[in-house]
Amino acid sequence: MLYASTRSALHPVGFSAALTSGLAGDGGLYMPTEWPQLAPAAAADDLSGLALELLRPFVAGDALAPALAA
């Protein structure tokens, strides 16, 4: 998933870059370029499982994605 500045969507970045830089270079906030469609979280057995299911689409395609517990 890519993240773009709220001031300009010209230079989207990945999750790691958005996380480590905080604000975009133009002073805007990073927002996802698209919102994932999340399935109902009834399948999660515990709070950590629910957190993983909610975070997984937002880090998809990033170098940090494998760091999420399976």
Side-chain angles (χ1 to χ4, degrees):
M1 175 173 289
L2 294 174
Y3 296 82
S5 172
T6 54
R7 293 187 179 177
S8 172
L10 295 178
H11 304 288
V13 298
F15 178 79
S16 295
L19 181 67
T20 56
S21 63
L23 292 175
D26 61 7
L29 302 174
Y30 281 114
M31 295 291 292
T33 56
E34 60 185 70
W35 290 98
Q37 298 298 314
L38 301 172
D45 294 332
D46 58 3
L47 189 56
S48 63
L50 176 61
L52 286 173
E53 290 303 312
L54 293 175
L55 285 173
R56 191 167 280 124
F58 291 95
V59 298
D62 193 79
L64 291 177
L68 287 177

